[in-house]
Amino acid sequence: MRKKIVAGNWKMHKNAEETEDLLNDLIDKLPNDVEAQIIVAPTFVNLASAVDHLEFTNIAVAAQNMHQTEAGAFTGEISADMLKSIGVNTVIIGHSERRAYFNETDAILANKVSTALKHDMVVIFCFGEELKDRQDNQHFNVVENQLRDGLFHIENKDWELIVLAYEPVWAIGTGETASPEQAQEMHEFIRETVRKRYGNTIAEDVSILYGGSVKPENAGEIFSKPDVDGGLIGGAALKAEDFSKIVSAI
Ligand code: 13P
């Protein structure tokens, strides 16, 4: 049975003090009785304190990125080993902002995935089409290619560490959400694409999250779709009340 997951991607928000405040607020407000796995992804500099802070809770901590190389002369970068050494076992790879603003190609992402898996890290693998792709009716092709080129080199056994996150670029931070039907249509396609390549068990067991302007008002309807197993939340993850409502909607 696949897991329900709600993850908050804090992007480049919250300094050290604000991170502690938000974590305290989340500990207060998040429901205790949900079956979903809850994940937060603060910035690199606040990961260690987040791990400490959340030690006795059911909230896991993820990094928003990592470098594909084990170690070396890569000024400003962070390795998988460094993340693991502070207790971070989950990493977001392939976010559209990394692809667009930091030139992360499918080939680089494929390497990052391999490195993370080598370190037994859970990978939240993000992908999704741009507005133009959808207008040109290319969205299924784009998503299929992103999966094939960034992820489908992994082995069957690796899938227990993989979470998929479909994030249509046109819905990120825009207030425009994919309709529940659009999300379901794409998630079904994604599961089918995984099924063709890796078989039924892996396809049925992998959690596929939706991301892109998920808010307390629309979360329930999106999460009610059969192939939507949770969400990757940006803006609304920065307010404990909103994030808690989204978690409760699962
Ligand atoms: P928003 O929820 O702000 O649209 O961001 C989604 C996202 O990019 C999560 O990774």
Side-chain angles (χ1 to χ4, degrees):
M1 256 273 285
R2 54 189 184 253
K3 266 194 225 152
K4 302 265 184 205
I5 300 170
V6 182
N9 174 9
W10 294 11
K11 307 191 180 182
M12 198 173 72
H13 293 286
K14 305 288 178 191
N15 65 24
E17 198 183 328
E18 292 163 348
T19 296
E20 285 208 7
D21 288 348
L22 179 52
L23 292 173
N24 285 335
D25 225 6
L26 284 171
I27 292 168
D28 272 358
K29 294 200 168 74
L30 279 169
N32 292 319
D33 51 350
V34 284
E35 281 181 22
Q37 158 141 46
I38 303 166
I39 301 174
V40 293
T43 59
F44 279 132
V45 291
N46 295 311
L47 286 175
S49 74
V51 169
D52 278 355
H53 225 81
L54 298 174
E55 191 179 352
F56 299 109
T57 71
N58 59 352
I59 308 169
V61 177
Q64 299 173 18
N65 179 34
M66 54 162 252
H67 198 264
Q68 61 272 29
T69 311
E70 294 294 337
F74 298 102
T75 301
E77 289 294 329
I78 307 281
S79 71
D81 176 58
M82 291 169 193
L83 294 173
K84 291 286 302 255
S85 73
I86 58 164
V88 174
N89 300 311
T90 303
V91 60
I92 298 172
I93 289 179
H95 193 280
S96 63
E97 287 147 20
R98 301 294 317 170
R99 292 175 188 258
Y101 308 142
F102 302 95
N103 304 319
E104 294 197 0
T105 60
D106 290 323
I108 292 172
L109 298 175
N111 265 327
K112 289 192 181 206
V113 168
S114 295
T115 306
L117 292 173
K118 200 168 137 199
H119 287 265
D120 273 329
M121 296 183 79
V122 172
V123 173
I124 302 176
F125 185 77
C126 303
F127 52 94
E129 82 283 0
E130 295 183 23
L131 182 59
K132 175 136 197 351
D133 303 321
R134 190 163 273 267
Q135 286 167 338
D136 295 346
N137 206 23
Q138 288 301 310
H139 44 299
F140 293 116
N141 283 343
V142 168
V143 161
E144 191 172 5
N145 291 345
Q146 287 172 328
L147 286 170
R148 186 194 59 214
D149 297 342
L151 192 65
F152 280 6
H153 61 292
I154 68 173
E155 294 175 33
N156 286 30
K157 67 169 174 46
D158 296 325
W159 277 87
E160 59 185 73
L161 292 171
I162 299 290
V163 175
L164 300 179
Y166 168 60
E167 298 203 304
V169 178
W170 48 272
I172 295 179
T174 58
E176 188 172 347
T177 326
S179 69
E181 292 70 32
Q182 283 174 320
Q184 169 56 26
E185 182 187 37
M186 183 57 91
H187 282 224
E188 197 178 335
F189 172 78
I190 293 161
R191 205 176 297 287
E192 219 32 62
T193 305
V194 174
R195 198 185 322 273
K196 271 193 217 143
R197 169 73 175 82
Y198 287 96
N200 197 47
T201 307
I202 286 173
E204 286 303 317
D205 284 354
V206 67
S207 300
I208 309 178
L209 315 185
Y210 169 79
S213 298
V214 177
K215 305 280 179 251
E217 303 76 47
N218 58 25
E221 215 188 332
I222 295 173
F223 293 165
S224 72
K225 295 295 176 191
D227 286 295
V228 178
D229 305 308
L232 182 54
I233 319 300
L238 299 172
K239 292 189 199 125
E241 203 168 314
D242 285 359
F243 191 65
S244 304
K245 284 184 186 156
I246 293 171
V247 169
S248 302
I250 196 85

